[in-house]
Amino acid sequence: MATETVQPGAQNHDSMFDSVLARLDAAARLMNLSDDVAKILRNPQKLVKVSLAVQMDNGKTEIFEAYRCIHSTTLGPSKGGIRYAMDVCQDEVMALAAWMSFKCAVANLPYGGGKGGVKCDPKKLSLGELERLTRAYTKSMSDVFGVNKDIPAPDMGTSGREMAWLLDEFNKIKGEDSPGVVTGKPIVLGGSLGRDAATGRGVMVATICAMEKLNLDLKEVTVAIQGFGNVGSHAARLIAEQDIKVVAISDHTTALYNANGIDIKAAIAYAKNNGNVLKGFSGGTSITNAELLTCKCDILVPAAIQNVITAEIAPSVKARLIIEGANGPTTPEADEILKDKGVIVVPDILANGGGVTVSYFEWVQNKMGYYWPEAEVNQKHDLSMQVAFDNVWNNATEYKTTMRIGAYITALKKIELGVNFKGKF
Ligand code: NAD
């Protein structure tokens, strides 16, 4: 297994990391962030690239490119998920790690930001291959991860199953049980009740908070949700449970629209028995994913992948409110168009912070060795999201800017204080 520490900060044009920098720079200008702090945050602290040699079921060895990026540890140990996907690359992992630093600061968590990923198509790997890949990744990162150092979690393409393998491998290497080294674990291994649904729950709370600010009536609004995985399906279920009509849903196999409201319980049950995909579900008229983003609705929840609301799509968006369940679904160019149209965007670093908030609760419970009932987790989560939402709203109002830049300002204020208190030398 080869390990290489690559030069952080190298940028490609039109990259995801450039999108982060564009927003960071806009917020920095408005709030007069010190040049030193801006410089520190424009460059991830550490970026590790490894080549994982994994034995496949056919006996042959395959090499997988994998990363872990630590963007900042100013406010605490770095925290962030591990993604298994074909588009994993240095630029993406750097952007996602930076977003974690800002997301944790917005959510008032004592964490910095990190992210990891393996370039692979997990759907094409057998269970045994996935386990060997996860164990190889853990071995290669065993000096990076640590309960008080760098704490991974699931992201796209990974789940509690991979986190259990990671925990087991880490424990074997270190010779002791460290449940707090990873969150999003199965409950029996020290996972937290409420973690599975937490990101979707946070999206629901952010939706309600935004509706209250805009005086929108629960009974009258309609919602369209792109993505029906962990975030999208829980968000859809919890939003529907608030008596809000969900008129469109989608995943990578299909998209559906029903002006009378889609039966979300039925959609979830269908996907569960259909390989976790919606293809073939008959609860609405078939549309394309692009049509979902521009369909007639009041609230749009992109909860699948990045860069879907682009400068081409944004002019046709009909929603008045966008709640970003996914990381980076809106490009900076689209942001400008949406701002001019008066569309309010509740940004990813606020709206999808529910997952890392309950990951933090899991870590706290692991450290205490004492576990809370689900109602307590949910109550603490909802309160934390409401406080974060208000902080961002107030900063956006004070600086006369969008909620996205307001969220960056909220985070940057905290990180700047942390850098100044700790000293730069
Ligand atoms: P997931 O793998 O569980 O689900 C992804 C969903 O998106 C699936 O339904 C998939 O079919 C759909 N999808 C993929 N490509 C699509 C396309 N081109 N068009 C429409 N749908 C498509 O992933 P997830 O955990 O739900 O994560 C979704 C997003 O939320 C990602 O951006 C992730 O980084 C972000 N996020 C996840 C968490 C979490 O706790 N899981 C926390 C914060 C942010």
Side-chain angles (χ1 to χ4, degrees):
M1 172 189 325
T3 302
E4 176 192 344
T5 302
V6 293
Q7 184 60 44
Q11 288 166 37
N12 307 319
H13 287 294
D14 300 327
S15 74
M16 266 174 88
F17 193 64
D18 282 351
S19 292
V20 178
L21 295 183
R23 271 79 176 243
L24 170 66
D25 290 346
R29 270 193 302 275
L30 264 184
M31 66 178 283
N32 274 328
L33 183 74
S34 90
D35 286 347
D36 286 354
V37 175
K39 220 178 272 175
I40 290 169
L41 294 176
R42 288 177 65 86
N43 294 280
Q45 255 173 266
K46 185 190 271 189
L47 178 61
V48 181
K49 181 184 179 191
V50 292
S51 301
L52 305 174
V54 177
Q55 192 177 43
M56 309 305 279
D57 289 349
N58 63 8
K60 294 210 160 67
T61 296
E62 284 290 335
I63 302 295
F64 293 88
E65 182 181 316
Y67 298 87
R68 185 76 185 167
C69 177
I70 313 293
H71 173 259
S72 167
T73 53
T74 296
L75 299 180
S78 46
K79 184 87 192 80
I82 298 168
R83 182 175 279 202
Y84 286 181
M86 283 311 289
D87 56 9
V88 165
C89 62
Q90 176 181 323
D91 175 72
E92 185 184 271
V93 88
M94 277 165 47
L96 292 165
W99 277 325
M100 285 308 296
S101 301
F102 304 135
K103 192 180 299 182
C104 292
V106 165
N108 294 303
L109 308 178
Y111 285 145
K115 202 80 176 194
V118 181
K119 187 179 169 70
C120 68
D121 181 351
K123 291 193 194 77
K124 292 199 174 134
L125 299 176
S126 71
L127 203 62
E129 289 166 345
L130 275 173
E131 179 174 345
R132 291 193 291 279
L133 177 70
T134 305
R135 289 186 186 277
Y137 181 70
T138 308
K139 231 180 255 170
S140 74
M141 298 295 169
S142 61
D143 288 334
V144 177
F145 298 154
V147 180
N148 296 312
K149 208 169 153 187
D150 178 45
I151 308 139
D155 192 75
M156 265 172 78
T158 59
S159 65
R161 182 182 63 187
E162 285 74 17
M163 301 307 112
W165 292 327
L166 189 155
L167 175 65
D168 185 57
E169 191 64 30
F170 187 84
N171 285 346
K172 278 182 186 150
I173 293 167
K174 300 292 174 187
E176 61 178 14
D177 188 29
S178 309
V181 75
V182 59
T183 60
K185 302 178 288 291
I187 306 290
V188 288
L189 298 181
S192 177
L193 293 168
R195 173 60 185 92
D196 196 38
T199 309
R201 186 173 183 88
V203 167
M204 178 272 287
V205 174
T207 305
I208 303 289
C209 288
M211 286 173 61
E212 279 170 12
K213 297 283 184 201
L214 302 180
N215 282 323
L216 297 179
D217 187 342
L218 291 179
K219 300 256 179 304
E220 283 174 13
V221 299
T222 54
V223 181
I225 302 178
Q226 184 187 54
F228 211 67
N230 175 282
V231 182
S233 67
H234 283 298
R237 175 179 61 80
L238 290 159
I239 286 171
E241 282 174 10
Q242 298 291 319
D243 267 347
I244 301 173
K245 205 188 276 178
V246 178
V247 291
I249 55 173
S250 77
D251 66 10
H252 68 283
T253 65
T254 189
L256 300 157
Y257 185 86
N258 182 343
N260 297 319
I262 291 173
D263 181 343
I264 298 299
K265 267 193 191 155
I268 290 173
Y270 181 88
K272 197 172 166 202
N273 292 317
N274 191 44
N276 288 323
V277 294
L278 289 167
K279 193 177 173 67
F281 179 60
S282 58
T285 313
S286 183
I287 55 171
T288 65
N289 255 293
E291 285 167 342
L292 179 138
L293 297 170
T294 56
C295 74
K296 190 171 178 307
C297 66
D298 301 296
I299 303 175
L300 175 62
V301 181
I305 51 169
Q306 60 259 24
N307 294 338
V308 287
I309 305 177
T310 58
E312 290 72 46
I313 294 277
S316 313
V317 165
K318 295 186 189 63
R320 311 154 63 176
L321 191 56
I322 295 178
I323 314 283
E324 293 186 335
N327 284 312
T330 312
T331 65
E333 300 75 34
D335 260 350
E336 289 305 310
I337 297 168
L338 295 169
K339 185 172 82 180
D340 292 345
K341 284 173 57 143
V343 178
I344 306 254
V345 180
V346 180
D348 44 9
I349 59 170
L350 168 63
N352 70 31
V356 71
T357 299
V358 177
S359 271
Y360 164 62
F361 296 157
E362 180 175 331
W363 182 73
V364 169
Q365 292 171 81
N366 292 152
K367 282 182 163 249
M368 290 193 301
Y370 177 74
Y371 292 84
W372 309 334
E374 187 165 356
E376 188 175 344
V377 172
N378 288 344
Q379 185 203 11
K380 284 183 162 72
H381 162 276
D382 294 359
L383 182 63
S384 171
M385 281 298 295
Q386 285 153 2
V387 169
F389 189 97
D390 281 343
N391 287 343
V392 169
W393 183 270
N394 292 342
N395 273 317
T397 308
E398 184 186 337
Y399 288 87
K400 299 188 175 47
T401 186
T402 59
M403 284 201 76
R404 187 182 313 283
I405 300 302
Y408 274 76
I409 291 174
T410 307
L412 292 171
K413 279 184 176 178
K414 287 192 74 174
I415 298 174
E416 183 171 43
L417 266 181
V419 171
N420 289 339
F421 275 125
K422 279 181 156 176
K424 293 173 205 130
F425 306 104

